[in-house]
Amino acid sequence: MKLVASTVFAAISLAVPALSETVAVTLDIINAPGAPDGFNRTLVSANGTYPGPLITANKGDTLVVTVNNKLDDPNFRRSTAINFDGIFVKTANAFNEGSPFVTEYPIGPNETYTYTVPLVDDQTGTFWYHSQLDVQYVDGLRGALIVYDPDDPLADLYDVDNEDTIWQVGDWWHNSTLPLLAGYEATGIVPVSDSGTFNGVGRYQGGPEVPFHVVNVEAGKRYRFRIINTSARNVFTVSVDSHNLTVIETDGSATAPLTINQLDLLAGQRHSVVLEANQPVDNYWINAPFVGGDPTRNLNQNATLSRAILRYQGAPDADPSAPMSLGPAAGELNALDEADLRPFVASPAPEPDVNITLNLVVTAGKAQWNVNNVSFLAPEVPTLVKILDGANSSSDFNVTENTFILPANKTVQIIFPPSDDDEEHPFHLHGNNFWLVKSNSSDVINTENPIKRDVAGVGAAGTIVRFSTANPGPWFFHCHIFWHFHAGLATIMASGLDDIRADVHPTPEWEALGPAYEALPPDEQ
């Protein structure tokens, strides 16, 4: 299917079962034409669309996602790998976690791999999937993944929660990743996006007036909008003219309802908000401006054009009459402070057994980031393979793999000291989530009732998180600005190595990925 400017969303329709089911999904990874913001280019896409097909499931289901790699354009990375961002992955299933060179080899062109991912620990909420290989998802390989809870304890707060209430915001580039990477590596300057997209459509300065995405509502109803920042860099600030938003979920974790009228989302972060359609029937702007780098480096960028329309039933088919703004005026602003969020069910963060300090430093003038003076380089042999083959200590891994060996069934505290860097780094933990003991937005240390999430900003004020190693595995912990990730801003938190060897029994299909990938010529890897 060709992607044109009016193509905003593609969904796999999945019936909501009464009992746990197997949810089978097929993703054909192809090079396809597209013009999300009116500029024609070739994409790396799932099933030919941007965003990729919506995947939905119910609590306790099992995802069975078959990935057919049909990439054939030599101007792009030809291999791929799919990660399900925020989904818990148990130790025994670590080989299906989707991190190339950590838990698997990439899937080469003309190869197929099926990820079987049971949804465990009653996990529900708002997630997404994307290519985890290098910066490939910048070219379009990203989409939403929603896990519904038939027994949602917050269900009495909203009336509507369906595929039409999912908002995916993302940064978009007119150039493809290989030349963008070459420019980044030559200058150390992270590429600045041409535009922002809302459910797959956007506008750039001087470009065609692509119709804005329309979100339809009915007066008197309450809507659960699930907002996902699928960016590789940009921070999006979301608000709706004349409407409040009540936050009820953060990165898959239910939160105590908190009413605000504007919220920021770093790359990879998600929130559910409840909007009550209680204003006069009309069209209202959904504002989604963004920041990410110096906009003077890309004159196509006009963050004010990043938006959608909230249209009440009965309103005319027209743009809102109000001017395009960046959000509420200063005197009316009630912005979300992450430190004010509380879990729906309060619980303390366990005291730490292990303390690790991570210092983030960029090498001036180069595309190189360091964590504790180490710039991460993906190992040639995946971490999981090394562990299964007997690796048992830090000395069994190259220094550049930045692998921390941790005991099982302990609580690990990660301290990010305050930084002089002016960019907030969204650090993301794979396979698990963490207690956010200290937010970068506040000096308050909260161990009594911190929220749990899987992406937290690291920057000027410092951040502290704690996570449990009760689920052993080699789990990526990295910056979700994927340009920084490519430049080395990543670690691997490898816990319970003996447990991994006892519990992980990969399939022959997984074992075949390595020889197939290593046999590929470099231009197909």
Side-chain angles (χ1 to χ4, degrees), residues 140-427:
L141 184 41
R142 31 184 157 153
L145 194 173
I146 310 299
V147 182
Y148 292 104
D149 185 356
D151 305 309
D152 184 3
L154 293 167
D156 62 340
L157 297 181
Y158 56 88
D159 306 304
V160 183
D161 177 22
N162 58 33
E163 66 182 42
D164 296 321
T165 64
I166 300 166
W167 297 355
Q168 298 179 69
V169 293
D171 40 21
W172 193 250
W173 283 263
H174 293 171
N175 211 343
S176 58
T177 52
L178 294 186
L180 287 173
L181 273 176
Y184 177 37
E185 291 169 347
T187 64
I189 299 171
V190 176
V192 175
S193 70
D194 292 276
S195 63
T197 60
F198 190 110
N199 280 358
V201 292
R203 291 185 183 181
Y204 64 95
Q205 187 67 26
E209 293 189 351
V210 178
F212 292 112
H213 178 74
V214 175
V215 178
N216 293 296
V217 297
E218 183 178 341
K221 290 189 175 181
R222 302 164 302 167
Y223 293 80
R224 177 177 182 162
F225 290 114
R226 298 171 181 266
I227 313 173
I228 309 169
N229 185 354
T230 68
S231 290
R233 181 182 191 181
N234 291 355
V235 181
F236 279 79
T237 301
V238 177
S239 63
V240 182
D241 282 0
S242 303
H243 292 76
N244 286 326
L245 306 170
T246 299
V247 180
I248 61 170
E249 178 214 348
T250 298
D251 293 358
S253 294
T255 61
L258 179 65
T259 299
I260 46 93
N261 62 11
Q262 178 175 288
L263 71 162
D264 290 341
L265 296 98
L266 305 180
Q269 290 186 328
R270 297 92 61 202
H271 283 290
S272 280
V273 299
V274 175
L275 177 147
E276 184 176 356
N278 58 5
Q279 297 299 304
V281 171
D282 205 344
N283 293 291
Y284 298 86
W285 288 120
I286 302 172
N287 310 297
F290 57 87
V291 293
D294 181 354
T296 65
R297 295 186 181 278
N298 190 336
L299 298 183
N300 285 333
Q301 187 180 109
N302 180 348
T304 306
L305 298 176
S306 179
R307 60 186 54 251
I309 298 171
L310 186 80
R311 176 167 295 155
Y312 278 67
Q313 183 178 341
D317 184 4
D319 287 356
S321 57
M324 296 182 188
S325 73
L326 298 178
E332 303 171 350
L333 180 62
N334 179 22
L336 174 65
D337 183 337
E338 180 185 56
D340 292 337
L341 289 170
R342 295 292 180 267
F344 181 67
V345 178
S347 62
E351 287 301 306
D353 304 295
V354 178
N355 285 279
I356 298 173
T357 298
L358 297 182
N359 289 287
L360 316 182
V361 178
V362 65
T363 302
K366 295 184 178 181
Q368 179 176 317
W369 277 91
N370 305 277
V371 180
N372 292 359
N373 297 316
V374 176
S375 183
F376 178 83
L377 290 175
E380 293 183 4
V381 177
T383 309
L384 181 57
V385 174
K386 290 184 176 182
I387 293 172
L388 294 177
D389 286 345
N392 211 42
S393 67
S394 296
S395 62
D396 293 322
F397 301 91
N398 294 332
V399 171
T400 53
E401 295 174 43
N402 221 356
T403 298
F404 291 79
I405 307 302
L406 303 170
N409 300 307
K410 300 295 183 182
T411 298
V412 178
Q413 177 166 272
I414 305 290
I415 300 170
F416 293 93
S419 168
D420 294 332
D421 182 39
D422 61 359
E423 188 157 21
E424 193 170 18
H425 299 277
F427 254 72

Side-chain angles (χ1 to χ4, degrees), residues 7-30:
T7 301
V8 299
F9 207 79
I12 294 175
S13 179
L14 301 169
V16 177
L19 300 173
S20 298
E21 290 193 353
T22 296
V23 178
V25 177
T26 298
L27 300 179
D28 290 331
I29 312 304
I30 62 175

